[in-house]
Amino acid sequence: MSTKTFTSELSSLIKARFPLIYIVTWEEKRAIESIHHMVANKDYFSSPRKVWTWSVTQGFMCNGTPQQSDIKTSMRALEFIDNHRSDGIFILKDLYYDLSRPSHAIDQALIRKLKDLVNSIKNDNFFKTVIMTGYDKFIPDDLQKEIHIKHFELPDKEEIKEVLMTLVEQNMHNAKLKFDLSEETINKLCETASGLTLHEAENAFALSMVT
């Protein structure tokens, strides 16, 4: 699935008011960047929506600007979303880790708060969407029917090629690096990088230029 297809399908879920979405990915940063681009694209949304991100180290950030940096627990993050009185997309980077614990170790109050938040969002006048990110398809039994799972796939060949050509362009005038820009070599490099994250592919390409 291309990034464009992913953002198109995700925008439909958001506009349909799915309250809680879990994005399964190894590429948290790229997934969040695609959400920011989606929200700013008028083909998807007629007016931009604020995108909030939360982590246990930074608290909340709104459109890249620190906000509510003192909120460092999942429970407090959910409470903030519940009490927030405007539209928004809330991306929770670290909620996954609290929910992926063994069943006997999960905080039942957190499960209950998520259920209550889902109901609150469904009945709210504000358009709010909560998005969790994580790398494993693990959902507690109590939340199986509450969470919509969406996969953010690894980059396709065209996305990998774009990274390669950008890297080449940035280093073209470096006499210490070697470049073979034949179509055969480019295709071979892109095929070799298939199955890697963009970050891994970029590192592999950079290494191939110095060896």
Side-chain angles (χ1 to χ4, degrees):
M1 180 190 298
S2 68
T3 301
K4 184 176 181 180
T5 301
F6 168 84
T7 53
S8 176
E9 293 180 356
L10 181 62
S11 68
S12 295
L13 294 175
I14 292 172
K15 286 183 284 190
R17 302 197 68 172
F18 278 59
L20 185 54
I21 302 168
Y22 175 32
I23 296 178
V24 182
T25 181
W26 287 102
E27 296 189 277
E28 176 189 272
K29 182 175 181 291
R30 189 166 72 93
I32 292 174
E33 286 175 350
S34 73
I35 293 172
H36 278 284
H37 293 154
M38 172 196 70
V39 170
N41 189 334
K42 291 187 177 181
D43 289 340
Y44 297 126
F45 295 97
S46 57
S47 59
R49 298 193 186 189
K50 289 184 177 179
V51 177
W52 296 75
T53 57
W54 174 82
S55 70
V56 294
T57 55
Q58 295 181 319
F60 273 105
M61 300 184 72
C62 182
N63 293 338
T65 302
Q67 301 279 344
Q68 304 295 329
S69 57
D70 61 318
I71 297 178
K72 300 294 180 65
T73 68
S74 294
M75 180 62 80
R76 288 195 63 202
L78 297 178
E79 290 171 348
F80 172 79
I81 297 169
D82 197 11
N83 295 326
H84 193 72
R85 307 320 297 158
S86 64
D87 302 345
I89 296 171
F90 302 85
I91 304 172
L92 306 181
K93 300 179 183 180
D94 294 325
L95 177 59
Y96 163 82
Y97 296 99
D98 283 329
L99 297 180
S100 61
R101 297 175 181 175
S103 57
H104 68 274
I106 297 178
D107 184 356
Q108 189 58 40
L110 190 63
I111 300 291
R112 171 49 57 192
K113 183 60 184 177
L114 271 168
K115 288 183 174 182
D116 291 345
L117 180 59
V118 166
N119 290 329
S120 175
I121 290 174
K122 286 180 177 178
N123 295 303
D124 205 332
N125 292 324
F126 299 104
F127 292 86
K128 293 190 282 189
T129 304
V130 178
I131 296 177
M132 299 164 42
T133 60
Y135 60 86
D136 189 16
K137 186 180 173 182
F138 178 88
I139 302 296
D141 291 342
D142 287 0
L143 296 173
Q144 290 286 341
K145 302 299 183 181
E146 309 290 350
I147 299 175
H148 183 87
I149 297 175
K150 187 84 182 124
H151 289 268
F152 185 75
E153 305 292 352
L154 292 170
D156 59 23
K157 184 177 179 180
E158 288 304 312
E159 290 170 317
I160 290 174
K161 183 177 180 180
E162 183 178 344
V163 167
L164 172 59
M165 299 315 294
T166 298
L167 193 61
V168 169
E169 183 178 346
Q170 291 172 344
N171 294 277
M172 182 64 74
H173 301 295
N174 189 334
K176 296 180 180 180
L177 302 181
K178 298 181 296 183
F179 299 98
D180 179 355
L181 298 181
S182 67
E183 184 176 350
E184 180 182 357
T185 299
I186 290 173
N187 287 335
K188 184 177 180 180
L189 285 170
C190 291
E191 289 172 5
T192 301
S194 177
L196 301 180
T197 67
L198 278 190
H199 180 67
E200 290 173 329
E202 184 175 12
N203 286 343
F205 294 150
L207 183 61
S208 71
M209 292 178 185
V210 299
T211 57

